Amino acid sequence: MKKVSGLFNKVVKTTGIVSIASIMSANAMANATFDFTQSLNENANTKVVFADNAQELDGALAKLNQESNGQILSLIKLNDFDASFGSTLHLQMVAGTESLLIVGTNDEDGELDAPDLQNLGGKIAGALKSSSKTFNADIHIDNLATTINTPSAHIAYGYQLRHYSFDRYKTKKSSGESTINLVTQNASAASSKFNTDLLFVAQGVHLARDLATEPGKNMYPEAFVKHVKAKFKGVKNIDIDVLDMRDIEKLGMGALAGVGKGSINDPRLLVISYRGAAKNEAPLALVGKGITFDTGGISLKSNSGMWAMKSDLSGAAAVAGAVYAAAKREESINVVGFMPLAENMPSQDAIRPGDVLETMKGVSIEIMSTDAEGRLILADAVHYAQQEYKPKMLLNIATLTGSAARALSDEYAAVITRDFELSTQMMEVGKKSGEHVWPLPLHPNHFEQIKSPIADIKNSGAGNPGASIGAAVVATFVDEDLPWVHLDIAGVDWLDAGNDVAPKGSQGWGVRFMDQLVRDQAK
């Protein structure tokens, strides 16, 4: 232990600087208290009601309008509130209520599905957080056009997704406390759905956001492992295996080892197995890219925006969150999460453009750019997953290419498969989960483009289309007979502006998508 100048003592390691606090979740605004009930809360200083029609009020809003002698309807007209889906109108001191939030639910598509309800919950969280840090709110669930059995559970889920703040390094912490009382006729069923299922998905999303937001100084490969292992402590039917540098080299994972050569922080392969079905049932394999910080290596990135490369581990973070959610609700399926972890740094030991790496599969890769490193660590990880666990399906997820972001912006993640029918199935998974994907092609010519004159393949420099080229590198290491899904989340994992279910910054994208895939596969 070495004393560091300043007010505090810290533990200084040869692999980086980390304190216990930096690997423990500390998001003051990540939790709210939810109560599902059939009766109103007399202590509530805030009421939330829904409006499908701004001219003809019904349900709780109509009752409040009557109590205000029509004042609410007058205010709705005065503020040009049209009740369109997700629109909000915040009123104070009306109908005996300190704070009244009206949320529009008029949806052109007709009935509200689960993601719609979750978006409404997120809208409420965003609106209430902007107006008050401490409150006690009643949300009246009485007039929603939906076939979902427990709409209040999904509204609470969306609220919890949005109710997140990473303020660990701020002097002034978020200190607000919120109690959310969801008034609904099926309170018991809604409470069970939220507390034994959806809450765990929200916690998995928050875990992914934590990991992607933490500064790279503190979230190197071994710190990632410690943080995730702490999160899984006490979770049933979980086995955790950590491959260190000795194991990685022994298995011949030259690509994973090579990416980490330039860093003082050795790479790791974190494997988390959840057994919720028979031991002999083939698992679903989820593989996530975990570059804990990406400088580009010798092919150094420009300084502009490099700070955001602390989130280049978002794929691995999402895998951790998805496996956590499945295990906590005790889903009836076997799932194995693989998280190859490395820090891509330039040094005298770093790999160079022109070097050749030998992979576990035996396929050699010529390095054209050390900044095309994600596909390298995935190459060894997906091969290991197939060799050791014989999965029935494999999905890999990664912040892989700017090409995917340029093609699809932040509206969709790119999905690439060998089978277009599987891509369409993944689009349906995206629709149900609220995390949408759009197919990009994988053509035989893409495999021709990555052939190397001195090795079996090259990792980049093959021209356009960049997202498909990156997928082709990974696909080289996946059995052609295995159902395989490649998700490129480079455009959706980190946003400069918040949305309905997430503040700006890390979205924890992929946890909800993979969670829905797990549910579908379990059926």
Side-chain angles (χ1 to χ4, degrees):
M1 183 177 290
K2 178 181 177 182
K3 183 176 289 189
V4 180
S5 60
L7 296 177
F8 303 95
N9 293 337
K10 298 182 180 179
V11 177
V12 179
K13 302 171 62 178
T14 58
T15 54
I17 303 175
V18 67
S19 66
I20 295 298
S22 72
I23 61 169
M24 299 301 290
S25 183
N27 297 313
M29 293 296 289
N31 293 300
T33 300
F34 297 93
D35 184 22
F36 298 83
T37 178
Q38 295 184 15
S39 59
L40 299 177
N41 181 358
E42 295 181 357
N43 296 320
N45 58 7
T46 300
K47 285 187 172 67
V48 181
V49 292
F50 298 106
D52 184 62
N53 189 313
Q55 283 74 44
E56 299 177 10
L57 309 184
D58 63 356
L61 182 55
K63 183 178 180 181
L64 287 171
N65 182 57
Q66 184 178 8
E67 292 173 359
S68 72
N69 296 317
Q71 185 181 11
I72 290 177
L73 184 56
S74 297
L75 289 169
I76 285 175
K77 293 178 179 178
L78 181 64
N79 287 278
D80 294 325
F81 179 73
D82 62 2
S84 59
F85 182 83
S87 59
T88 59
L89 176 61
H90 215 135
L91 304 174
Q92 281 77 39
M93 307 307 294
V94 61
T97 301
E98 181 179 318
S99 178
L100 175 65
L101 178 66
I102 306 173
V103 183
T105 61
N106 193 315
D107 188 2
E108 294 179 355
D109 296 330
E111 292 184 339
L112 306 178
D113 58 16
D116 289 333
L117 295 168
Q118 293 154 20
N119 288 339
L120 288 177
K123 284 282 189 182
I124 295 168
L128 294 184
K129 182 179 178 182
S130 66
S131 63
S132 175
K133 291 186 177 180
T134 300
F135 52 86
N136 192 318
D138 275 347
I139 302 178
H140 297 258
I141 317 293
D142 63 350
N143 59 338
L144 295 175
T146 181
T147 58
I148 300 297
N149 292 329
T150 54
S152 57
H154 288 273
I155 287 172
Y157 171 44
Y159 190 106
Q160 182 76 343
L161 286 172
R162 183 63 173 81
H163 197 55
Y164 175 89
S165 176
F166 190 94
D167 59 6
R168 186 171 305 148
Y169 300 102
K170 288 182 176 290
T171 303
K172 186 177 181 180
K173 310 290 185 183
S174 300
S175 58
E177 296 291 337
S178 57
T179 302
I180 309 301
N181 192 47
L182 295 110
V183 185
T184 178
Q185 292 303 307
N186 57 352
S188 179
S191 177
S192 177
K193 178 65 175 176
F194 178 73
N195 288 299
T196 66
D197 183 349
L198 298 178
L199 175 61
F200 301 133
V201 187
Q203 291 173 346
V205 172
H206 288 178
L207 169 63
R209 292 175 186 170
D210 284 352
L211 293 166
T213 309
E214 188 73 37
K217 178 190 69 162
N218 292 337
M219 196 49 67
Y220 48 87
E222 182 59 23
F224 184 106
V225 169
K226 289 181 178 179
H227 188 117
V228 173
K229 287 177 70 174
K231 185 70 175 180
F232 277 83
K233 186 176 182 180
V235 179
K236 294 187 293 184
N237 300 315
I238 285 290
D239 289 317
I240 297 179
D241 190 20
V242 183
L243 278 62
D244 61 17
M245 190 61 163
R246 181 182 298 179
D247 301 317
I248 290 168
E249 291 178 335
K250 185 177 180 180
L251 288 166
M253 295 182 176
L256 175 55
V259 173
K261 283 287 188 181
S263 173
I264 59 173
N265 301 304
D266 285 342
R268 296 286 186 271
L269 178 58
L270 173 61
V271 182
I272 302 181
S273 305
Y274 163 67
R275 190 170 74 246
K279 188 175 182 179
N280 62 351
E281 183 176 312
L284 169 65
L286 306 175
V287 186
K289 170 188 170 184
I291 298 296
T292 59
F293 195 85
D294 184 19
T295 65
I298 296 298
S299 305
L300 195 65
K301 294 177 181 290
S302 66
N303 180 60
S304 177
M306 192 194 287
W307 63 270
M309 289 301 99
K310 64 182 183 177
S311 70
D312 209 20
L313 51 71
S314 293
V319 167
V323 177
Y324 177 82
K328 287 290 287 185
R329 72 166 177 275
E330 301 182 0
E331 189 65 81
S332 55
I333 189 175
N334 295 333
V335 183
V336 188
F338 301 85
M339 288 145 276
L341 304 162
E343 187 176 40
N344 189 24
M345 302 287 281
S347 78
Q348 70 272 21
D349 297 322
I351 56 173
R352 295 160 291 268
D355 285 352
V356 174
L357 301 179
E358 297 289 341
T359 64
M360 182 182 177
K361 186 176 181 179
V363 174
S364 58
I365 306 177
E366 181 185 9
I367 306 303
M368 306 305 292
S369 169
T370 63
D371 195 24
E373 82 298 326
R375 62 203 70 180
L376 296 176
I377 68 172
L378 288 174
D380 277 331
V382 298
H383 181 71
Y384 178 81
Q386 293 166 92
Q387 292 296 107
E388 297 297 320
Y389 290 85
K390 311 299 182 187
K392 63 180 179 180
M393 180 180 184
L394 188 148
L395 176 148
N396 66 259
I397 178 170
T399 48
L400 205 70
T401 67
S403 178
R406 288 188 293 273
L408 301 174
S409 187
D410 59 4
E411 302 296 334
Y412 300 94
V415 60
I416 298 176
T417 69
R418 288 191 173 97
D419 177 7
F420 188 74
E421 182 179 347
L422 183 57
S423 290
T424 61
Q425 293 173 18
M426 293 305 103
M427 292 176 74
E428 185 62 25
V429 170
K431 182 179 178 181
K432 290 190 290 185
S433 68
E435 293 189 323
H436 297 277
V437 300
W438 198 264
L440 292 179
L442 185 63
H443 192 274
N445 283 345
H446 300 148
F447 293 92
E448 290 296 318
Q449 286 179 259
I450 62 172
K451 287 184 177 179
S452 164
I454 67 168
D456 294 321
I457 63 172
K458 54 186 178 181
N459 76 328
S460 71
N464 292 320
S468 296
I469 294 299
V473 173
V474 180
T476 301
F477 298 85
V478 179
D479 188 337
E480 291 188 16
D481 296 327
L482 178 66
W484 165 70
V485 176
H486 171 87
L487 292 180
D488 192 332
I489 62 171
V492 294
D493 79 300
W494 189 283
L495 301 183
D496 294 331
N499 56 33
D500 289 348
V501 293
K504 68 177 183 178
S506 172
Q507 303 295 291
W509 202 102
V511 175
R512 291 190 293 155
F513 183 96
M514 288 184 284
D515 177 76
Q516 185 62 54
L517 179 63
V518 166
R519 293 173 194 268
D520 291 351
Q521 290 291 311
K523 293 177 183 178

